[in-house]
Amino acid sequence: MRIDRGEVIALVGENGSGKTTLAKLLSGLYEPDGGRVSWDDTDLAEVDPDELRHRIAVIAQDHTRWPLTARYNISMGTDKGEPALVAAAEVAGADQVVAELPHGYSTLLDRRFKDGQELSGGQWQRIAVARGFHRDAPLLICDEPTAALDARAEHALFERIRQHADGRTVLLITHRLASVRYADRIYVLDHGKVVEHGTHDELMGLDGLYADLYGLQARAYSA
Ligand SMILES: Nc1ncnc2c1ncn2[C@@H]1O[C@H](COP(=O)(O)OP(=O)(O)O)[C@@H](O)[C@H]1O
Ligand SMILES: [Mg+2]
């Protein structure tokens, strides 16, 4: 698998096909048993893990809900200033969530505290996406950050991420194929292996697994 700087790449495949595993290998969270992962010409095995982590932002499937303020949940204690905070929130649609909070960004996101607020799954998900954007790393990995959302909301979110990629490299992971049509390239996984890759049109032309799954899902949506 090859990812060029500034590309929006999608990893697709059915549940259990290995998308999360591959993303963790690419981001250095897992070490490969065989083969190698390199950034430019440097093998990840030779890179200081801290160095690497600064270059990657992950919006994970299971994001953490910190019992802290909205501001802290997005900035994670880094101080990049208000404009960076607000910009990240806007891309994620978290600005609308914050606007409804009694104390805005200073609201504690935990009902166990005085004046604390609880958020819904979808609202937390926007905060988690804002956190990923605020980190402002050259590689952004979004691993099905949209489990709490329906297919249409996932599509809208991926579109926003794509439009605000701003030269970052983005890896979008999903099992919903309608969300990845406009990725620069798509890798299709099956049972832990890359079985096809190309643009949406190329993969449809191949008439293989991607085209099969796409047809199945398209029929399910139109039903
Ligand atoms: N290339 C591989 N070789 C061996 N096991 C794999 C491989 N890819 C994935 N797995 C295993 O398959 C399971 C599901 O993988 P996961 O990455 O969580 O799938 P997905 O994110 O596509 O749902 C995990 O137990 C994982 O360790
Ligand atoms: Mg997964």
Side-chain angles (χ1 to χ4, degrees), residues 113-139:
F113 294 99
K114 188 171 174 292
D115 287 341
Q117 284 280 311
E118 186 51 63
L119 300 182
S120 71
Q123 288 175 321
W124 266 116
Q125 185 266 331
R126 289 170 183 227
I127 298 283
V129 173
R131 183 187 302 160
F133 258 90
H134 184 266
R135 196 172 162 83
D136 196 21
L139 175 62

Side-chain angles (χ1 to χ4, degrees), residues 12 15 18 30 56-57 61 69 85 90 120-121 123 127 135 156 160 170 180 185 188 193 202 205 210 213 216 222:
V12 305
N15 285 327
Y30 288 165
I56 301 175
Q61 222 162 349
T69 60
L85 180 76
E90 278 173 4
S120 71
Q123 288 175 321
I127 298 283
R135 196 172 162 83
R160 281 220 289 276
V170 181
V180 301
R185 279 178 310 121
V188 186
K193 289 198 161 66
E202 286 166 1
Y210 181 88
L213 293 174
L216 270 174
S222 62

Side-chain angles (χ1 to χ4, degrees), residues 93 109 111 127 163:
L109 301 184
R111 240 194 352 224
I127 298 283
Q163 281 159 16

Side-chain angles (χ1 to χ4, degrees), residues 29-164:
L29 291 170
Y30 288 165
E31 278 176 44
D33 294 330
R36 54 182 238 144
V37 180
S38 49
W39 270 37
D40 297 330
D41 291 322
T42 309
D43 192 326
L44 279 199
E46 290 152 22
V47 178
D48 171 29
D50 268 348
E51 277 277 306
L52 184 64
R53 276 178 214 128
H54 282 294
R55 291 163 202 257
I56 301 175
V58 180
I59 303 170
Q61 222 162 349
D62 46 354
H63 49 259
T64 309
R65 303 172 174 197
W66 299 99
L68 296 163
T69 60
R71 177 187 310 277
Y72 203 100
N73 264 284
I74 296 173
S75 69
M76 298 314 299
T78 59
D79 189 12
K80 297 182 179 169
E82 207 68 10
L85 180 76
V86 173
E90 278 173 4
V91 174
D95 53 332
Q96 294 155 30
V97 176
V98 173
E100 287 172 16
L101 295 173
H103 306 290
Y105 285 104
S106 303
T107 310
L108 269 166
L109 301 184
D110 191 327
R111 240 194 352 224
R112 288 172 297 180
F113 294 99
K114 188 171 174 292
D115 287 341
Q117 284 280 311
E118 186 51 63
L119 300 182
S120 71
Q123 288 175 321
W124 266 116
Q125 185 266 331
R126 289 170 183 227
I127 298 283
V129 173
R131 183 187 302 160
F133 258 90
H134 184 266
R135 196 172 162 83
D136 196 21
L139 175 62
L140 175 64
I141 298 177
C142 309
D143 189 355
E144 304 199 66
T146 49
L149 302 182
D150 60 21
R152 192 189 306 268
E154 174 177 290
H155 184 69
L157 178 69
F158 278 178
E159 271 309 286
R160 281 220 289 276
I161 291 175
R162 199 172 64 88
Q163 281 159 16
H164 291 85

Side-chain angles (χ1 to χ4, degrees), residues 1-12 158-159 161-172 177 179-188 196-203 210:
M1 176 173 185
R2 179 194 167 92
I3 302 177
D4 289 323
R5 187 168 308 165
E7 278 189 313
V8 176
I9 295 288
L11 273 188
V12 305
F158 278 178
E159 271 309 286
I161 291 175
R162 199 172 64 88
Q163 281 159 16
H164 291 85
D166 265 344
R168 295 184 189 103
T169 307
V170 181
L171 188 64
L172 299 175
L177 304 190
S179 299
V180 301
R181 263 192 97 132
Y182 302 104
D184 294 314
R185 279 178 310 121
I186 301 165
Y187 282 86
V188 186
E196 293 170 6
H197 61 94
T199 63
H200 170 81
D201 290 340
E202 286 166 1
L203 291 171
Y210 181 88

